[in-house]
Amino acid sequence: MKWNALPFAHSHHFKGRIEKRNDHNHSILIGFSFPVNGTGYDQHVHQIEGLTIQEDGHQHRYSVQSGPPIPLHSGKHFHYFDGETFSEDNHKHVISGRTGSQIGNYPIDW
């Protein structure tokens, strides 16, 4: 099989929620995932990471791995994710969400 016949790693957009804690929340999570392993044809996962908006004088980082792909009838797939935010003061929020279907491919030499 030629190297260019292999399916490329891909990305997803994602959207998620942040639990309300200590009488505030940090709105919704929106961003793009990074491929961690595999292709669109196996049990791969993605890295979901970023920063929350600032609220109540602080913001949080988050970095979690998605679960494996959930197939759609169209032949595409999405992923669920959940975890916790982290910050300098050890104040945390639970996050959860899902990706959209896959978008874009990373060139094999990136």
Side-chain angles (χ1 to χ4, degrees):
M1 181 181 279
K2 294 181 183 177
W3 71 266
N4 61 357
L6 295 172
F8 291 127
H10 57 274
S11 185
H12 294 263
H13 68 279
F14 65 83
K15 188 173 183 180
R17 294 187 309 241
I18 303 174
E19 95 178 305
K20 183 175 183 177
R21 188 175 281 186
N22 293 352
D23 296 323
H24 71 276
N25 68 20
H26 294 270
S27 193
I28 59 173
L29 307 174
I30 299 174
F32 294 93
S33 70
F34 300 94
V36 171
N37 61 355
T39 70
Y41 303 104
D42 58 18
Q43 292 298 301
H44 66 281
V45 296
H46 291 271
Q47 192 67 23
I48 307 290
E49 59 185 52
L51 294 169
T52 66
I53 63 165
Q54 188 166 343
E55 181 69 37
D56 200 31
H58 68 281
Q59 67 185 134
H60 298 265
R61 292 180 59 199
Y62 55 92
S63 181
V64 299
Q65 281 193 357
S66 73
I70 309 296
L72 297 168
H73 292 295
S74 66
K76 294 188 175 200
H77 66 272
F78 69 94
H79 302 260
Y80 287 114
F81 65 89
D82 60 22
E84 289 186 322
T85 64
F86 51 99
S87 65
E88 291 179 358
D89 64 359
N90 291 326
H91 164 84
K92 297 179 181 182
H93 295 265
V94 172
I95 62 170
S96 63
R98 66 169 272 186
T99 70
S101 61
Q102 64 265 35
I103 58 171
N105 293 319
Y106 283 83
I108 204 160
D109 59 350
W110 275 25

